[in-house]
Amino acid sequence: ILRTETFGLHLFVSWDSQPSFFQSLGPSTASSTLQPTGVIEICGATDCWGAGGSAALIEIEELCEEVAYQGHQMKVMRTQCQGLCGNGPVCVLKQTLKGEFLVDKHAKVNSPQKCLDLVTRAVPKEALNPQPLDIMQRRANGLRWEALMAITSSKRSSSSREIETKQPAEFLEEALEAERRSAKTEAARLRAERRAERLRGVVDRPLLVPHPSTSGDATG
């Protein structure tokens, strides 16, 4: 976390926010009666987007869809440049705790584990029930991240040779199958199936154009 700012407020304002991939698909699969317990904003500017912000957006929203499935609602938005371009992808967690409005800025949210760590700061731990990962599960996470990068990048500039020889949708299916095979329990298998169903929906979505970066040499 780069810094935490505390304000005596009970509401938040999102600036120039755009709906993310799942929101553009239509109503959430979770109950529409749930009230958001916080907001996660992902910087949508060029530097953060190219550093993995596009993949973080989808990964975080999928996690929040799972949180909603468990009875907790989080709002996910893409924003303008956060001014911390040298530390991207930058994500901001906003929530009200004990009457205080808290803003946590997180730097280099560039892996599934870092996305999970961010979301679990905002919801009860049991909502996602994070567990230590074995080597097969870590490999599945890595494959999924590479696939999301490929799907959301118009240049597909990954260094992975596998991605260069496969279509993004094909690579995503391989990653989702790796996660299913790595599941050790029935609960983990069902979780993998829910994730697969959600992520398949983003393959054909239009690419989101990144916002301009306002401080390309910023280091926070």
Side-chain angles (χ1 to χ4, degrees):
I1 302 172
L2 294 179
R3 63 174 178 265
T4 301
E5 301 167 355
T6 305
F7 305 92
L9 303 174
H10 294 270
L11 50 83
F12 60 84
V13 177
S14 297
W15 56 94
D16 193 41
S17 298
Q18 293 187 355
S20 51
F21 282 86
F22 286 100
Q23 291 168 324
S24 66
L25 292 173
S28 169
T29 55
S31 171
S32 60
T33 62
L34 293 175
Q35 294 299 311
T37 58
V39 178
I40 298 176
E41 297 180 340
I42 294 92
C43 179
T46 303
D47 288 357
C48 281
W49 214 237
S54 56
L57 175 67
I58 297 177
E59 181 77 8
I60 288 172
E61 187 158 50
E62 195 284 319
L63 287 169
C64 288
E65 285 286 305
E66 181 66 17
V67 166
Y69 179 84
Q70 303 296 341
H72 307 275
Q73 186 78 303
M74 292 291 297
K75 187 175 182 180
V76 183
M77 301 298 294
R78 186 175 77 126
T79 71
Q80 296 277 18
C81 184
Q82 298 279 352
L84 298 168
C85 306
N87 292 292
V90 173
C91 298
V92 182
L93 169 61
K94 298 180 177 182
Q95 57 183 334
T96 300
L97 295 175
K98 297 180 179 180
E100 291 186 315
F101 184 57
L102 304 178
V103 179
D104 291 343
K105 291 191 175 183
H106 296 249
K108 299 186 185 301
V109 184
N110 55 7
S111 71
Q113 185 60 51
K114 290 183 179 180
C115 292
L116 177 62
D117 292 344
L118 171 60
V119 175
T120 52
R121 287 181 61 85
V123 299
K125 190 172 183 179
E126 61 271 16
L128 289 171
N129 192 28
Q131 301 290 331
L133 303 179
D134 63 24
I135 189 169
M136 292 295 291
Q137 292 166 328
R138 289 196 297 271
R139 177 179 179 273
N141 274 359
L143 287 173
R144 185 175 70 255
W145 187 261
E146 291 279 6
L148 294 181
M149 288 284 288
I151 289 168
T152 57
S153 172
S154 58
K155 295 182 179 179
R156 296 179 60 195
S157 57
S158 171
S159 59
S160 171
R161 291 185 178 181
E162 286 187 273
I163 291 181
E164 292 176 0
T165 61
K166 295 181 180 180
Q167 294 297 315
E170 181 184 358
F171 197 78
L172 177 62
E173 285 299 326
E174 180 180 319
L176 296 174
E177 177 60 19
E179 180 173 15
R180 188 191 66 79
R181 291 197 304 267
S182 70
K184 305 298 185 185
T185 65
E186 179 65 9
R189 185 187 65 79
L190 293 173
R191 170 69 179 103
E193 290 180 357
R194 291 194 295 272
R195 192 199 304 274
E197 182 178 359
R198 292 167 187 150
L199 292 184
R200 288 187 183 110
V202 308
V203 173
D204 297 323
R205 300 304 301 176
L207 290 174
L208 292 177
V209 178
H211 298 302
S213 294
T214 59
S215 51
D217 59 350
T219 59

